[in-house]
Amino acid sequence: MPLLEITGLTQRFGGLQALSNFSCCLEERELAGLIGPNGAGKTTVFNIVSGFYKPTEGSIVFNGKRINGLKPHQVTAMGMARTFQNIRLWNTMTVLDNIRLARYAWLNYGFLSAVLRTGRYRRAEKAIETKAREVLEIMELTEYAEEFPKNLPYGLQRRVEMARALAGNPRLLLLDEPAAGLNSADVEGLIRHIRWIYDEFKISIWMIEHQMKVVMSLCRRLAVIDFGCTIAEGTPEEIRRDPDVIRAYLGDGAL
Amino acid sequence: MQRYAINIFFLVAAVTLVGLAQAGMLDKYVLTVITFMGINCIFAVSLNLVNGYMGEFSCGHGGFMCVGAYAGSLLSVAFFTNSKLFGAALFAPELAPFLFPLVLIGAGLAAALFGLIVALPSFHTRDDYLAIITIAANYIIISIVENIDAIGGPRGFSGMKKVVGLMTDVANVPWMLIWTIIGLFACVMIIYRLMTSTYGKGISAVCQNEVAAEIMGINTNRVKIMAFMVSSGLAGLSGALYAHVYGYVNAQAFNILKSTEGLVMVYLGGMGSISGVLLAAVAFTLLIEVLRFVIPWLNDVLHATGLLAVNYELGQVWKWVIIPLVLILLMQFRPEGFLGNRELTHVFPRLRRWITFR
Ligand SMILES: Nc1ncnc2c1ncn2[C@@H]1O[C@H](COP(=O)(O)OP(=O)(O)OP(=O)(O)O)[C@@H](O)[C@H]1O
Ligand SMILES: [Mg+2]
């Protein structure tokens, strides 16, 4: 049984067809990529899968359960986490608090416990703190725990966002252009971190990425979409030689 | 020491104030002003939860104070006095000081319930709509109260003086001052503890980036409703205290002007700062009291110097020219309020030896 199975996904925004009949499968423990030119519909796929958009048509099955129509927080609680193309951290909270909040879906205490500071509250907060610090340690962010994300360089912010996604113990991690805006040294670090996460957490990763260097060195399987349609699928080597892909990226004259 | 700073501060304040009052060093007027300061603090800090921490714009906070004021008054009259409305008292009069917290809690719960009723339909809409809906709710609540004849309708409701009298019979101390300090302490503790828990930080997360909050597994609708209920519940607590200090309630006391006072205090103090809003509530209460003297004085001066027409008297309504003016000036020169979203401990780091706001 595949971990994520998308069939016949179609998304219309008014007159614009952002996705047409998109299908894709992701096996357990896969590290796959989704590429395509600007405006191809990649982020739209992620937005649908994570529950932000309700697809016009199609079905998404995650971990054996149909998830279309679920709210994003429900999808997250089922073991999916993601990062955003444009970083979305909580800027007036410390890095540590940002990570802690990723455990929100699993909070087992409520308002009264929080206010009365019951034993249950203290145990839960302690567990959250331990988990958050552990994730920070793994992502080499411990020294920034008390910083505010907005004061950190871009590369670190991306890493914090990844750490936050991981703190929810996801089975599937969706990364939307994790290398966007990074310099080449940061990109090296990113590749190292992603590979490390993949090996250490034993999770599946699906990433959108423009930088060929990143996809080529990480992904074993790629899907390419253009104008909302899948135009190619295969290993990075196959994709690199695919005439349809070259045409999509470079225009008809390239062949 | 750090952990108990708030507790100690309140204890010292309570002991000092009650001591001074018992020694006869605070006259009745000063005592009342101090009590109202506390009530305004509760009102403003509770509004700050929604308008500051959550970044929504609720404009009808007075409505929830109204619910609390009436619920508290009805409860205490039913509990402790023989009335036409409820018949014989439910509890012996000597129990009044011990069971009064039930009245306050009941008032808070009633107001929180109204908060829920307002929040459920309104959080599917956004920003401006919430402002409009809360204003409407404010009007609706007042109209409802004014149309229930059994609780006095537009004439208002009284009988709480008797209850305060019963408490004074048991022990001759300034009871309402004590309850206000306890209420404020509870209010500050609730909000402080809420906002330092992961559970409550969900409110800040929703405020700063709702999309990220949803994706990180936070049920944003639920968080908003929770914050709104806590906020209106605490406003209800302030209403119940208000009703007992005055000994009389009238729905019009909680109209849109009351809600505006709340907004002024929150924006004066800085949204999302407990200490800032507390300072602002104190300053605002003082300002109102000062204006009570300054306006007649100004009236005399202007008449004496011939600057004001002889047949025009500068009345207390000018309060509502001066207060908005203060707000406009503030928005011009310090739009983030006294403290912005920082706490006193950020402005004066030395205070951190005593207290932290995290
Ligand atoms: N909420 C929306 N409403 C209307 N149109 C949208 C919406 N979201 C996306 N689109 C449109 O759908 C198309 C696909 O957008 P999408 O963000 O998925 O592209 P992308 O492949 O992620 O591109 P990029 O590489 O620039 O991130 C674009 O034309 C975009 O304008
Ligand atoms: Mg995109």
Side-chain angles (χ1 to χ4, degrees):
Chain A
M1 184 183 69
L3 179 64
L4 180 72
E5 191 171 17
I6 301 172
T7 25
L9 213 55
T10 297
Q11 178 76 33
R12 275 184 219 102
F13 297 113
L16 180 96
Q17 179 126 356
L19 273 184
S20 32
N21 201 16
F22 175 84
S23 297
C24 189
C25 241
L26 214 78
E27 298 296 330
E28 190 89 46
R29 290 292 284 138
E30 225 183 337
L31 207 171
L34 180 64
I35 64 173
N38 285 103
K42 305 177 299 291
T43 301
T44 304
V45 172
F46 274 21
N47 281 342
I48 294 172
V49 170
S50 55
F52 276 107
Y53 298 158
K54 236 182 138 155
T56 319
E57 279 164 43
S59 92
I60 308 151
V61 176
F62 175 59
N63 210 0
K65 289 190 202 76
R66 204 179 138 96
I67 58 167
N68 10 354
L70 291 189
K71 288 260 167 57
H73 68 87
Q74 292 169 316
V75 177
T76 305
M78 288 176 65
M80 197 189 298
R82 71 173 283 191
T83 62
F84 295 89
Q85 189 170 348
N86 45 340
I87 299 174
R88 289 177 185 273
L89 289 164
W90 296 297
N91 276 319
T92 64
M93 276 186 259
T94 60
V95 167
L96 183 66
D97 279 347
N98 268 269
I99 312 286
R100 271 150 101 129
L101 272 169
R103 303 295 307 164
Y104 198 94
W106 294 272
L107 278 186
N108 58 357
Y109 69 86
F111 172 75
L112 278 182
S113 290
V115 167
L116 299 175
R117 300 267 143 122
T118 57
R120 175 192 282 257
Y121 164 87
R122 271 182 269 120
R123 278 191 302 277
E125 289 288 342
K126 207 162 164 195
I128 290 171
E129 170 99 19
T130 313
K131 173 78 193 173
R133 293 214 177 263
E134 197 182 293
V135 173
L136 283 180
E137 180 79 49
I138 288 168
M139 296 296 286
E140 298 171 354
L141 286 165
T142 304
E143 58 188 304
Y144 308 107
E146 300 301 328
E147 298 274 355
F148 292 94
K150 60 169 186 279
N151 301 333
L152 296 178
Y154 202 73
L156 281 178
Q157 290 190 27
R158 284 234 172 261
R159 219 193 293 165
V160 173
E161 215 193 15
M162 224 138 76
R164 185 177 68 174
L166 282 173
N169 280 344
R171 292 185 64 174
L172 172 62
L173 178 62
L174 307 177
L175 301 172
D176 196 346
E177 301 202 17
L182 300 192
N183 61 34
S184 57
D186 282 345
V187 169
E188 291 296 336
L190 178 82
I191 294 175
R192 191 163 49 84
H193 276 122
I194 293 179
R195 184 166 294 136
W196 203 87
I197 290 167
Y198 176 71
D199 291 336
E200 198 69 10
F201 287 80
K202 307 268 178 273
I203 58 175
S204 319
I205 298 177
W206 197 21
M207 62 196 290
I208 297 174
E209 188 46 68
H210 275 303
Q211 295 200 28
M212 280 306 144
K213 187 173 151 195
V214 180
V215 240
M216 293 295 165
S217 59
L218 284 172
C219 303
R220 283 166 221 161
R221 208 164 57 83
L222 289 178
V224 189
I225 58 173
D226 193 18
F227 295 112
C229 301
T230 314
I231 56 168
E233 267 189 283
T235 63
E237 273 313 305
E238 287 162 8
I239 295 295
R240 217 207 290 261
R241 287 193 299 266
D242 191 301
D244 283 336
V245 176
I246 298 172
R247 200 176 299 125
Y249 270 94
L250 302 172
D252 280 332
L255 282 178
Chain B
M1 186 66 208
Q2 246 188 4
R3 276 184 63 188
Y4 299 108
I6 302 182
N7 313 28
I8 292 170
F9 174 79
F10 272 91
L11 195 66
V12 170
V15 169
T16 316
L17 286 174
V18 173
L20 285 175
Q22 286 303 84
M25 286 160 79
L26 298 177
D27 67 20
K28 211 159 174 205
Y29 171 69
V30 176
L31 206 62
T32 312
V33 171
I34 292 175
T35 312
F36 274 116
M37 235 176 237
I39 292 172
N40 276 340
C41 282
I42 301 176
F43 186 60
V45 170
S46 65
L47 180 62
N48 183 38
L49 189 61
V50 169
N51 286 35
Y53 286 118
M54 201 161 67
E56 292 284 351
F57 195 65
S58 163
C59 299
H61 211 48
F64 303 113
M65 189 175 184
C66 181
V67 172
Y70 272 86
S73 305
L74 292 170
L75 278 177
S76 91
V77 166
F79 280 1
F80 310 117
T81 68
N82 302 318
S83 61
K84 274 209 289 293
L85 190 57
F86 298 108
L90 277 175
F91 301 108
E94 309 82 66
L95 289 176
F98 306 103
L99 294 181
F100 192 67
L102 286 183
V103 169
L104 296 179
I105 291 168
L109 290 179
L113 184 68
F114 268 74
L116 177 66
I117 295 170
V118 175
L120 273 180
S122 55
F123 279 125
H124 292 291
T125 63
R126 295 223 38 113
D127 318 322
D128 302 352
Y129 294 101
L130 182 72
I132 294 165
I133 288 176
T134 46
I135 292 176
N138 199 163
Y139 277 101
I140 291 171
I141 288 170
I142 289 174
S143 303
I144 292 175
V145 171
E146 285 195 324
N147 281 297
I148 304 177
D149 233 22
I151 55 173
R155 293 181 312 282
F157 184 80
S158 57
M160 292 76 79
K161 272 249 145 61
K162 253 188 270 172
V163 178
V164 180
L166 291 176
M167 291 194 258
T168 319
D169 290 345
V170 176
N172 189 14
V173 290
W175 277 107
M176 287 326 294
L177 175 69
I178 294 174
W179 289 123
T180 302
I181 293 174
I182 293 174
L184 178 58
F185 174 67
C187 172
V188 169
M189 272 331 237
I190 286 173
I191 291 185
Y192 170 79
R193 288 184 163 186
L194 185 65
M195 294 316 293
T196 48
S197 73
T198 303
Y199 180 74
K201 278 181 184 150
I203 296 173
S204 310
V206 169
C207 166
Q208 283 169 48
N209 198 325
E210 201 173 332
V211 170
E214 263 292 328
I215 202 63
M216 292 324 295
I218 299 174
N219 186 343
T220 51
N221 274 338
R222 209 150 94 208
V223 168
K224 289 176 179 177
I225 286 171
M226 180 269 291
F228 206 73
M229 284 179 73
V230 174
S231 166
S232 39
L234 292 172
L237 166 70
S238 76
L241 290 165
Y242 179 99
H244 285 83
V245 174
Y246 257 131
Y248 161 79
V249 273
N250 184 311
Q252 282 304 336
F254 308 104
N255 62 14
I256 198 80
L257 284 181
K258 189 82 207 171
S259 306
T260 312
E261 283 182 16
L263 291 173
V264 173
M265 289 186 274
V266 169
Y267 293 102
L268 200 65
M271 290 176 287
S273 157
I274 299 182
S275 46
V277 171
L278 286 175
L279 282 178
V282 169
F284 181 80
T285 318
L286 285 177
L287 177 69
I288 298 242
E289 288 310 315
V290 167
L291 286 180
R292 216 185 279 281
F293 300 108
V294 166
I295 290 175
W297 174 82
L298 206 63
N299 185 44
D300 292 344
V301 170
L302 289 178
H303 275 299
T305 52
L307 286 170
L308 203 65
V310 183
N311 53 4
Y312 186 82
E313 292 290 325
L314 206 58
Q316 284 295 330
V317 282
W318 277 84
K319 189 168 89 174
W320 285 106
V321 174
I322 295 171
I323 292 167
L325 210 61
V326 170
L327 198 61
I328 291 171
L329 287 176
L330 183 84
M331 290 299 140
Q332 267 306 317
F333 296 109
R334 201 170 163 78
E336 71 277 25
F338 289 170
L339 300 186
N341 60 6
R342 299 174 306 168
E343 296 292 350
L344 267 183
T345 44
H346 299 114
V347 185
F348 303 106
R350 278 207 186 161
L351 281 176
R352 261 177 243 178
R353 282 230 310 270
W354 309 101
I355 182 171
T356 53
F357 274 98
R358 272 271 193 71

